[in-house]
Amino acid sequence: MRKIKVEMLTEEAFAPYGKIISSEGREDLGAPGSHSWFPQVVVREEPTSVNLMEVFPKEFVCKKFEAHDYTEETLIAMTGGVIVPMMPKDEFNVEHLKAFYVPKGTGICCAPGVWHFAPYVLGESVWCTVIFKNNTSHDDIYFKELDETVGMELA
């Protein structure tokens, strides 16, 4: 079985897929000693749904992917880090497959057309927030499978 290395999430490495969501480099407008506040990290014009997903431990192999033609999908790892395999838009090919580690408290915004699927966890289940245009999971989703199963391994 072919295997790929899980990469650390960097702006440069993730650029073909979308944007990273983080408080890094943003001004903290919170109240010291009370809370940190980083407003408008993601701004959407369309009706939006905020969804919760619990990701369970499973084998580090991938074959099935999904994409959305018109929707940017945001995934935020809330209770632990996750691994997300993906391929750039119009590049559904195992040669373009990468996997990124998204640390707890960090998120990613996948551009429309980017291939991805439910993340993987390193241990216990992890809760994630998924944000996208309302009804995306009904109106703007399609699936495709690779010809072969690909394993993922930590670097």
Side-chain angles (χ1 to χ4, degrees), residues 111-126:
V114 167
W115 293 98
H116 61 284
F117 202 64
Y120 296 76
V121 298
L122 296 173
E124 300 291 318
S125 66
V126 172

Side-chain angles (χ1 to χ4, degrees), residues 33-134:
S34 172
H35 65 279
S36 293
W37 177 251
F38 304 94
Q40 298 180 311
V41 175
V42 176
V43 177
R44 299 193 186 273
E45 301 290 326
E46 69 272 345
T48 301
S49 66
V50 176
N51 309 276
L52 297 175
M53 172 174 60
E54 184 177 10
V55 183
F56 302 106
K58 56 187 176 259
E59 187 178 7
F60 278 25
V61 296
C62 58
K63 186 172 184 173
K64 184 177 182 178
F65 289 83
E66 70 178 58
H68 315 287
D69 281 332
Y70 309 105
T71 304
E72 178 180 80
E73 180 173 326
T74 300
L75 179 138
I76 302 169
M78 297 189 318
T79 61
V82 296
I83 295 169
V84 182
M86 43 193 13
M87 290 173 281
K89 179 180 181 178
D90 301 325
E91 299 290 345
F92 193 84
N93 181 312
V94 70
E95 301 302 322
H96 297 282
L97 177 60
K98 290 197 173 193
F100 293 97
Y101 176 72
V102 180
K104 174 184 176 180
T106 303
I108 55 174
C109 287
C110 298
V114 167
W115 293 98
H116 61 284
F117 202 64
Y120 296 76
V121 298
L122 296 173
E124 300 291 318
S125 66
V126 172
W127 281 94
C128 296
T129 301
V130 180
I131 305 167
F132 45 54
K133 181 179 174 185
N134 198 34

